[in-house]
């Protein structure tokens, strides 16, 4: 059973409108493919909430969806946007007690809009005084880094890890989490300026992959031992080089293939050094899985958010209607941290 929104009342006394402004992709293409449209406000089902969006994070999967390379999973909204912050305006059966709460949420789509539906289990409470725009920049990278670097790659205090894309949303979140959990982190970046930014943000070491052989640098930095884990979003010919960076019993986790979907590797070296190669995607995982991750984040990480010790690296803010400008900035590759749309 779901709520009917045409006459629904929000916690602040305002009614939920029947329509909203959203950003659609009528035809895949460049940033200009993002077009503001009037859409019906979505209706939450059982165990779902309707969020009046304050801000929405911009992520690389949104760019791929805009380009026609990453369609939403079955049942998900065709509106881009994988994370939002806002206030719960209405709820389906089983989630009614959440109405009025300030939350940030992980979505399978639909975030670039004035209202978005999220499973209640994928919502995290935004502490009083925490910037709602910053809160919108937390879920996607936090869920991704936690599940891949700390769960799949088993990074623990005392380890050294290599993270590519050190100034991206993923990279900057990885740096901050490694700082909080006593993990030494080496990152790669595309310029000396970005390397300096990454080190100022908390990276222990930063390698300019355009001017340095990052595999050789990792060996030098670690005294020839290598790292315990690699978090990679590049793929392609990075994979065999990443394996060179691993210590014995090291773990490699792939989360994207921006540099290519195929690689050639020497299998005996994997066997002899007992390496683990794994990977994952998050968007298509079940609500049950993502809800379990949210519960774990509340237990292990959220106290740092409440204390103000875990904040995302923020790049630029754009109005929702200017989503095309936000994507143009991401396409240019000049950003440091998260780009966010403000509603």
């Amino acid at each position: 059973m779901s709520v009917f929104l045409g006459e629904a009342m929000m916690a602040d006394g305002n009614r939920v409108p029947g329509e909203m402004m959203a950003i659609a992709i009528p035809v895949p293409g460049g940033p200009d493919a993002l077009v503001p449209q009037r859409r019906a406000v979505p209706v939450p089902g059982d165990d779902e909430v309707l969020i009046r969006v304050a801000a929405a994070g911009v992520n690389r999967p949104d760019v791929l969806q805009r380009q026609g390379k990453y369609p939403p999973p079955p049942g998900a909204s065709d509106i881009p946007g994988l994370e939002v912050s806002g206030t719960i305006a209405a709820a389906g059966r089983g989630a009614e007690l959440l109405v009025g709460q300030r939350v940030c949420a992980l979505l399978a789509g639909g975030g670039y809009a004035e209202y978005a539906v999220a499973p209640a289990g994928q919502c995290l409470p935004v502490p009083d005084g925490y910037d709602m725009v910053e809160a919108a920049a937390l879920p996607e990278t936090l869920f991704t880094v936690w599940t891949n670097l700390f769960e799949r790659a088993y990074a623990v205090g005392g380890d050294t890890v290599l993270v590519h894309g050190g100034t991206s949303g993923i990279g900057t979140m990885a740096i901050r989490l490694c700082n909080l959990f006593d993990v030494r982190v080496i990152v790669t970046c595309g310029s000396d300026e970005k390397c300096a930014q990454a080190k100022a943000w908390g990276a222990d070491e930063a390698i300019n992959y355009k001017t340095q052989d990052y595999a050789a640098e990792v060996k030098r930095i670690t005294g020839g031992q290598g790292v315990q884990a690699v978090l990679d979003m590049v793929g392609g010919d990075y994979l065999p080089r990443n394996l060179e960076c691993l210590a014995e019993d090291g773990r490699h986790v792939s989360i994207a293939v921006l540099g290519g979907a195929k690689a050639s590797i020497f299998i005996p070296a994997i066997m002899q050094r007992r390496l683990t190669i794994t990977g994952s995607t998050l968007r298509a995982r079940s609500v049950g899985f993502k809800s379990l991750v949210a519960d774990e984040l509340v237990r292990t990480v959220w106290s740092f958010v409440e204390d103000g010790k875990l904040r995302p690296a923020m790049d630029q803010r754009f109005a929702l209607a200017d989503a095309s400008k936000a994507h143009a900035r991401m396409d240019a590759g000049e950003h440091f941290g998260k780009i966010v749309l403000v509603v």
Side-chain angles (χ1 to χ4, degrees), residues 7-238:
E7 297 296 329
M9 190 76 72
M10 292 190 288
D12 58 9
N14 294 320
R15 294 187 181 278
V16 177
E19 291 188 345
M20 64 180 183
M21 195 266 277
I23 303 299
I25 310 172
V27 179
D32 290 342
L34 298 173
V35 179
Q37 285 185 355
R38 299 300 297 177
R39 290 286 189 96
V41 172
V43 177
D46 292 349
D47 298 315
E48 292 183 335
V49 297
L50 177 72
I51 299 171
R52 180 176 55 181
V53 176
V58 176
N59 294 285
R60 186 64 60 180
D62 304 341
V63 172
L64 297 175
Q65 180 176 338
R66 186 202 77 215
Q67 295 171 339
K69 300 176 181 178
Y70 192 30
S77 171
D78 66 320
I79 297 169
L82 302 179
E83 59 185 349
V84 298
S85 67
T87 302
I88 295 178
R93 185 172 59 185
E96 299 93 340
L97 295 179
L98 298 178
V99 173
Q101 292 191 15
R102 290 173 10 125
V103 298
C104 57
L106 182 71
L107 313 176
Y112 289 15
E114 293 177 316
Y115 290 87
V117 164
Q122 292 174 206
C123 295
L124 294 165
V126 176
D128 292 340
Y130 202 95
D131 187 323
M132 289 295 276
V133 178
E134 290 189 7
L138 285 173
E140 200 274 341
T141 56
L142 182 54
F143 275 71
T144 298
V145 174
W146 185 258
T147 57
N148 288 288
L149 186 56
F150 289 87
E151 289 186 342
R152 299 193 72 81
Y154 306 108
V156 296
D159 281 351
T160 300
V161 302
L162 171 65
V163 177
H164 291 296
T167 56
S168 67
I170 294 290
T172 51
M173 177 59 72
I175 291 170
R176 192 53 97 221
L177 285 175
C178 286
N179 292 164
L180 292 172
F181 288 94
D182 298 319
V183 175
R184 189 183 186 204
V185 56
I186 304 168
V187 301
T188 62
C189 307
S191 70
D192 290 342
E193 179 184 7
K194 286 192 172 185
C195 285
Q197 288 179 310
K199 293 190 72 172
W201 183 246
D204 293 283
E205 301 284 350
I207 302 167
N208 183 341
Y209 65 83
K210 291 185 178 179
T211 60
Q212 298 172 288
D213 179 339
Y214 74 79
E217 282 298 299
V218 166
K219 286 292 188 182
R220 180 188 65 78
I221 292 167
T222 61
Q225 296 302 305
V227 297
Q228 280 68 52
V230 175
L231 182 65
D232 179 47
M233 60 191 75
V234 183
D237 63 4
Y238 266 48

Side-chain angles (χ1 to χ4, degrees), residues 274-323:
R274 303 175 302 282
L275 305 181
T276 299
I277 302 175
T278 184
S280 74
T281 59
L282 181 62
R283 189 178 188 184
R285 296 297 296 269
S286 70
V287 171
F289 172 80
K290 295 174 188 176
S291 297
L292 287 173
V293 175
D295 289 342
E296 185 172 353
L297 290 173
V298 168
R299 293 195 307 271
T300 58
V301 176
W302 215 245
S303 62
F304 296 116
V305 176
E306 294 169 340
D307 293 342
K309 296 178 181 178
L310 179 56
R311 294 185 177 273
M314 299 297 288
D315 186 68
Q316 290 188 16
R317 306 178 181 194
F318 295 85
L320 177 63
D322 292 330

Side-chain angles (χ1 to χ4, degrees), residues 239-265:
L239 178 56
R241 296 164 66 193
N242 291 342
L243 298 184
E244 292 178 20
C245 296
L246 286 174
E248 290 191 354
D249 297 298
R251 290 84 65 189
H252 182 283
V253 184
S254 296
I255 59 171
V257 289
L258 299 176
K262 296 182 179 181
S264 177
I265 57 176

